[in-house]
Amino acid sequence: MATPLHQLEAHELLAGYKTRAFSPVEVTQAVLAHIERWEPHIAATYLLRPDAAITQARAAEARWLKGQPCGALDGVPVTIKDNIATQGDPTPLGTRAVPLTPATADAPPAARLREAGAVIVCKTTMPDYGMLSSGLSTFHKTSRNPWDLALTPGGSSAGAGAAAAAGYGPLHLGTDIGGSIRLPAAWCGIVGLKPSLGRVPIDPPYMGRAAGPMARSVQDAALMMQVLAQPDARDSMALPPQAIDWSLAWRADKPLKGVRIGLWLDAGCGLAVEPAISAAVQHAAHLFEAQGALVTPLAPFMTPALLAGLDHFWRMRSLLDLDALTAESRASVLPVIRDWAESARAMSGADVFRAYSATHATRVATQQAMQPFDYVISPVSPNAPAPFDWPSPTNDPLRGLEHIGFTVPFNMGEQPAISVNCGYMDSPGTPGAALPIGLQIAGQRFDDLGVLQMARAFEQLRGPQRKVPHPP
């Protein structure tokens, strides 16, 4: 039985366009029809405009018929997260507090996708200001996890994770400052790469903030990186342009044998790792070991004090953002975010400096911990996804970051890190339902290609995957 068009991966679509087995218009129509079936249940989209998508697809179809595709993704459906500006569209950042002012230009990642011919099907949802690991938003409908509608898809790239898992086309663009690509990727059973800081130019840039691909396969994530990792002068933190072969072939001169892997099962802070998640990550380690990799336990290197420092620094940053709003706009922000930010009001200058210093201390600790290894594997999240209407796994505004101990070090340290599915566990939301488990693979700074190659190698070792549930 042929795979439905909406389920085909990007590289399969491009091959089909080349042979004229199907067209960008047929694919876009199939994706839009699938979105229509799923969207009432998972609320992943923002600015879904079918007519505009079909217009883009027709232009791509005409180029393919002439044998002249305009770029590496010509005719491939993509979605873009709310907070990545697209020209002419408002960028609400998931909250009613932000004026709906049309963007004057595409942000760098959106510009690269458009230049490559991608069909922008829609944008995707996020929580208020991207400060939650859920889809809870005062602007968007609350997104849900396709694997279990009672649960969150994660965040802040909530809609992107849900859309990727549900089959809203093959490619989705997210952002990540503490785990916001990798957490929804883990909880939705997809691939999500947080690149090295500056590998994918963004605007505005910020310490630890990265844009990256979310897809159903590592090969598609690499294909998207080929487009995204192009220079853009607007990003003052961008890396120098570098010619990288994103083809992912695991070279004969670089086998898994002898690769040094750190197995990190205890973050040292935050929530305890659930047994099923620990077992799945250990099984992944055994698969690598069986191929000759040298797997060594990595002791905890995060601490409660480091995580608290990052938390308090972001609280003050958010408090200043909220204080800049009118009283009416401030009141429209989610109460959980207002309470979290307000808790920083009594901080002294010394308190703020110590909190900020945790960002550098985390960077140093992460770099030191990784020195003996080529790669570090760990859980993405210590826990299963929370109920869809909780802001975070603790449902406590003052303990909202207890689940990012494994992800946030690589934002502060600037290393590339990817989530790839490594198993399944019973859902806490619905008896009998299964949930994906994310394996994180982190590499040395700038080794984005190596991280993708390791993830691709793991895809080939892990065995068959379950199909995502169908729309209710």
Side-chain angles (χ1 to χ4, degrees), residues 89-149:
D89 299 324
T91 310
L93 306 180
T95 179
R96 285 187 292 148
V98 172
L100 297 180
T101 305
T104 58
D106 286 334
R112 298 297 87 75
L113 291 172
R114 207 184 295 273
E115 291 163 3
V119 174
I120 300 173
V121 174
C122 66
K123 300 191 77 173
T124 51
T125 62
M126 61 183 283
D128 282 48
Y129 291 103
M131 293 310 299
L132 303 175
S133 286
S134 75
L136 208 59
S137 166
T138 55
F139 183 83
H140 304 295
K141 293 181 179 178
T142 303
S143 302
R144 301 191 186 211
N145 193 319
W147 289 87
D148 187 338
L149 298 178

Side-chain angles (χ1 to χ4, degrees), residues 83-309:
N83 64 345
I84 299 292
T86 47
Q87 185 174 17
D89 299 324
T91 310
L93 306 180
T95 179
R96 285 187 292 148
V98 172
L100 297 180
T101 305
T104 58
D106 286 334
R112 298 297 87 75
L113 291 172
R114 207 184 295 273
E115 291 163 3
V119 174
I120 300 173
V121 174
C122 66
K123 300 191 77 173
T124 51
T125 62
M126 61 183 283
D128 282 48
Y129 291 103
M131 293 310 299
L132 303 175
S133 286
S134 75
L136 208 59
S137 166
T138 55
F139 183 83
H140 304 295
K141 293 181 179 178
T142 303
S143 302
R144 301 191 186 211
N145 193 319
W147 289 87
D148 187 338
L149 298 178
L151 303 179
T152 182
S156 64
S157 303
Y168 288 20
L171 301 179
H172 309 268
L173 179 65
T175 64
D176 188 317
I177 199 170
S180 290
I181 286 174
R182 289 158 290 161
L183 289 162
W187 290 338
C188 292
I190 62 166
V191 172
L193 173 68
K194 180 208 77 68
S196 299
L197 184 75
R199 178 69 71 202
V200 174
I202 55 174
D203 183 31
Y206 191 80
M207 176 180 62
R209 182 172 185 247
M214 303 175 73
R216 293 193 296 273
S217 72
V218 176
Q219 187 173 352
D220 271 5
L223 178 63
M224 202 171 179
M225 283 296 291
Q226 175 184 330
V227 170
L228 295 175
Q230 300 298 319
D232 195 300
R234 289 174 286 176
D235 187 347
S236 59
M237 303 172 79
L239 296 177
Q242 182 180 358
I244 296 175
D245 178 5
W246 298 100
S247 64
L248 287 190
W250 189 263
R251 301 187 305 275
D253 63 342
K254 193 178 181 184
L256 283 171
K257 184 176 181 180
V259 172
R260 301 168 302 162
I261 296 177
L263 175 59
W264 187 31
L265 294 173
D266 179 358
C269 61
L271 299 175
V273 179
E274 295 182 17
I277 295 174
S278 180
V281 173
Q282 290 182 71
H283 176 65
H286 294 322
L287 292 177
F288 280 126
E289 210 165 26
Q291 298 298 311
L294 306 175
V295 179
T296 306
L298 173 59
F301 62 87
M302 285 293 289
T303 67
L306 288 176
L307 186 61

